């Protein structure tokens, strides 16, 4: 089992991975998933990349993912992934967004 201090280090690395991807990329294909709720190609790419990293680092953890609506239950602990918080801002070129 992953110790809490190790989980924090793993979470920080996941944030660095997602932030690095957000920092150097464009949205790609943009789709509406609600009235004013967007999902971008980059959202999906960040979610896949960060999820793969976390799954390898903490295979005993579950997931709840915003964009793919994926989840892996049956675990005491769960990562909650929102690949780009502020996707609407990101799509419109407003630099008030974060990942993951």
């Amino acid at each position: 089992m992953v110790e809490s201090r190790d989980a924090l280090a793993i979470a920080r690395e996941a944030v660095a991975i997602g932030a690095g991807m957000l920092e150097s990329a464009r949205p790609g294909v943009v789709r509406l998933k609600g009235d004013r709720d967007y999902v971008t190609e980059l959202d999906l790419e960040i979610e896949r990349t960060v999820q793969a990293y976390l799954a390898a680092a903490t295979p005993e953890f579950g997931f709840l993912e915003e964009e793919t609506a994926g989840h892996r239950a049956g675990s005491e602990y769960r990562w909650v992934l929102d690949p780009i918080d502020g996707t609407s801002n990101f799509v419109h070129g407003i630099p008030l967004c974060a990942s993951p």
Side-chain angles (χ1 to χ4, degrees):
M1 181 50 129
V2 173
E3 297 289 327
S4 61
R5 68 179 177 276
D6 296 332
L8 181 58
I10 291 165
R12 286 183 172 149
E13 180 60 25
V15 168
I17 291 167
M21 293 173 73
L22 177 63
E23 182 178 19
S24 62
R26 297 196 163 289
V29 175
V30 178
R31 294 187 323 247
L32 274 173
K33 63 178 194 177
D35 181 33
R36 290 171 291 187
D37 197 9
Y38 297 97
V39 64
T40 68
E41 190 175 2
L42 185 60
D43 274 296
L44 299 172
E45 184 180 343
I46 290 172
E47 187 173 272
R48 281 189 302 269
T49 302
V50 170
Q51 193 273 343
Y53 168 77
L54 291 171
T58 57
E60 67 277 14
F61 281 39
F63 290 92
L64 176 61
E65 299 154 330
E66 180 184 17
E67 303 306 342
T68 59
H71 67 280
R72 188 175 76 202
S75 173
E76 183 178 0
Y77 300 101
R78 183 171 299 158
W79 295 111
V80 178
L81 302 179
D82 180 1
I84 300 176
D85 188 28
T87 300
S88 182
N89 286 344
F90 178 61
V91 166
H92 292 96
I94 301 169
L96 300 173
C97 55
S99 178

